[in-house]
């Protein structure tokens, strides 16, 4: 359906693609992977024609429809969420707008003298709307929105009142409702809770068109894609299999290339040693010349490209007492809505609690109660006297001083630390070289999250409270964080929609449901095995 044939592309001084080729066939579900800045978004833009290759061509089958979801959702305001989603569904959305105009005109007393013409016009538009499946479309739009965790009240409300994350879901719903021949999805798993992710997995598995997507959620990628295209060093390499297979195959390829490189280096060293030893002897002149010619003709094996991965290691945190935090008979209400009523919950040293529950169940509220960010209406929250608390909250990213550079921000947070240790810290979290001179105002969501995380972990607390710490993080940084936290000896309480993160780090589960609060010994993997569900209310 789509073919990339020996494409070349340069953005300024950066070479993005060199004679890169790949294909997307009907029914294929492909994951697009590569380091940040490798050219994933550029590839999407080349396919939809927003950019042109400098060399080669992008060929698209005639007549196919392409739906492209990107992180740049644009302006949305002035109509309901359902109407906004239906607007992406092609010709029927224009007819829907006409139908709404006709209904408004019929209800206008100033146009009573036109009533016969208006009724006739309304009938024509309504018939056309029905013919195009318009009434079924509204039902489908609501079904898609419900799958993405929208309440009926949100669906009927003004799309302009939504936060950026919810507008992303609206933009995604438009593409899903459109049901094009080809879907290009750039990070569709960002901003989704675990229930929406699992729903989206099911929908994409049943999608009959071709899919090309990026995602920082390895579990989501594993369950949806059956092929991976890697962008690295300007080339496109295709691997048949899911993301786990790609990782294994890539590691195997690297090991084989390294072994081949080392064998050739040993052979070259031996030949060069012979040439150096005998080049001055006339008796060996013919042999020396023969070996020089042989070396000139050998095609050199390159060592494998090393992905830059820096490990972050925790400094030992001071040991806390056994009782880290205790909530007794806690009540919390927002207006007429009761979140907690008589909650009893305790966290003990070295426990790692993941908190699970549907949207609005009170996950973030619990973290705010524990950290003292919000006070209970009734009951008590007691934190142990030797507890040193570190809290990663989504709003922390908004508190960065936009005028400071990354390095200045780190220096102001840790004035006693040496420049070398701060640069090492920045490097662990993906800020190397000149990156540390970027001003905080120009940082992406992922970069801000990494900076906040770096500051929190440099002087380690013995109790970490994390609210969606992997939002915006790429796969490499996420893996680094998981490995670092696996070796952390303190206590953790966290909310995450990333199942790999949940499974790797939790040893307790607190489930918030309409029926009450349930506690499970054992981590997320045991929770899934015992309950038969990956999230509250969902069957696996």
């Amino acid at each position: 359906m789509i073919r990339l044939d020996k494409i070349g592309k340069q953005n300024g001084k950066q070479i993005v693609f060199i004679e890169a080729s790949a294909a997307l066939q009907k029914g294929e579900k492909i994951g697009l992977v590569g380091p940040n800045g490798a050219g994933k978004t550029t590839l999407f833009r080349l396919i939809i024609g927003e950019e042109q290759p400098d060399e080669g061509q992008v060929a698209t089958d005639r007549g196919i429809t392409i739906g492209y979801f990107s992180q740049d959702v644009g302006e949305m305001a002035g109509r309901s969420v359902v109407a906004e989603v239906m607007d992406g569904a092609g010709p029927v959305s224009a007819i829907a707008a006409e139908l709404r105009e006709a209904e408004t005109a019929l209800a206008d007393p100033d146009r009573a003298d036109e009533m016969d013409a208006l009724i006739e016009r309304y009938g024509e538009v309504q018939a056309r709307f029905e013919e195009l499946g318009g009434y079924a479309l509204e039902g489908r739009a609501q079904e898609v929105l419900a799958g993405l965790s929208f309440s009926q009240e949100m669906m009927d409300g003004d799309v302009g009142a939504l936060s950026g994350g919810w507008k992303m879901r609206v933009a995604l719903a438009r593409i899903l409702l459109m049901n094009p021949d080809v879907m290009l999805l750039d990070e569709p798993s960002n901003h989704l809770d675990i229930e929406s992710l699992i729903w989206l997995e099911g929908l994409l598995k049943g999608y009959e068109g071709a899919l090309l997507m990026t995602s920082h959620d390895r579990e989501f990628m594993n369950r949806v894609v059956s092929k991976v295209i890697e962008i690295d060093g300007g080339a496109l390499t295709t691997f048949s299999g899911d993301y786990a297979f790609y990782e294994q195959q890539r590691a195997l390829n690297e090991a084989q290339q390294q072994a081949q490189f080392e064998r050739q280096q040993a052979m070259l060293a031996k030949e060069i040693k012979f040439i150096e030893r005998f080049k001055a002897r006339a008796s060996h002149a013919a042999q020396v010349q023969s070996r020089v010619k042989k070396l000139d003709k050998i095609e050199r094996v390159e060592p494998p490209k090393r992905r830059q991965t820096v490990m972050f290691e925790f400094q030992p945190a001071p040991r806390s007492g056994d009782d880290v935090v205790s909530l007794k008979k806690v009540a919390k209400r927002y207006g007429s809505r009761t979140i907690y009523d008589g909650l009893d919950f305790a966290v003990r040293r070295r426990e790692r609690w993941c908190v699970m529950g549907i949207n609005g169940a009170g996950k973030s509220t619990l973290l705010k109660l524990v950290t003292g960010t919000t006070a209970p209406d009734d009951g008590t929250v007691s934190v142990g006297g030797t507890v040193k608390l570190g809290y990663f909250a989504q709003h922390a990213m908004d508190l960065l001083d936009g005028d400071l550079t990354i390095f200045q921000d780190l220096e102001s947070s840790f004035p006693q630390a040496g420049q070398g240790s701060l640069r090492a810290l920045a490097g662990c979290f993906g800020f190397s070289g000149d990156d540390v001179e970027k001003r905080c105002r120009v940082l992406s969501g992922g970069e801000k999250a990494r900076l906040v995380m770096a500051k929190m972990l440099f002087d380690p607390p013995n109790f970490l409270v994390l609210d969606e710490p992997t939002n915006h993080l790429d796969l490499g940084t996420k893996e680094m964080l998981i490995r670092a936290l696996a070796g952390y000896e303190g206590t953790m309480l966290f909310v995450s929609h990333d199942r790999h993160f949940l499974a790797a780090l939790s040893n307790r589960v607190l489930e918030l449901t309409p029926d009450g609060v349930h506690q499970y010994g054992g981590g997320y993997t045991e929770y899934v095995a015992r309950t038969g569900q990956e999230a509250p209310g969902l069957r696996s």
Side-chain angles (χ1 to χ4, degrees), residues 13 82 174:
K13 291 182 180 177
V82 170
R174 283 170 64 110

Side-chain angles (χ1 to χ4, degrees), residues 198-215:
I198 293 166
W199 174 85
L200 182 59
E201 271 171 18
L203 186 139
L204 292 179
K205 280 182 196 169
Y207 170 61
E208 293 179 357
L211 170 69
L212 181 65
M213 73 169 193
T214 63
S215 176

Side-chain angles (χ1 to χ4, degrees), residues 35 45 56 64 109 146 158 167 327 331 372 404 451 457 493:
R45 292 168 67 86
I64 64 166
D158 188 335
K167 282 180 179 174
L327 288 77
L404 295 181
L451 178 55
L457 301 183
L493 175 70

Side-chain angles (χ1 to χ4, degrees), residues 9 11 14 90 100 118 129 173 209 214 246 254 264 272 278 284 319 349 394 456 498-499 505 524 538:
K9 182 69 179 174
N11 287 337
Q14 186 199 4
R100 285 193 296 275
L118 288 173
F129 187 65
T214 63
Y246 153 74
E254 275 193 2
Q264 189 182 68
I272 290 166
F278 295 109
H284 287 75
R319 189 185 188 280
R349 189 173 75 88
Q394 296 301 310
M456 187 178 74
D498 189 293
R499 285 158 291 175
L505 296 173
Y524 175 73
L538 288 179

Side-chain angles (χ1 to χ4, degrees), residues 320-328 345 347 366-373 380-390 462-463 465 493:
S320 74
D322 288 340
D323 297 320
V324 175
V325 67
S326 172
L327 288 77
K328 291 181 179 171
F345 174 55
V347 177
L366 177 67
L367 270 50
K368 288 175 183 174
L369 287 164
V370 166
T371 56
T373 314
T380 59
V381 179
S382 309
V383 177
T386 55
V387 169
K388 181 184 174 187
L389 192 145
N462 52 30
F463 181 32
V465 180
L493 175 70

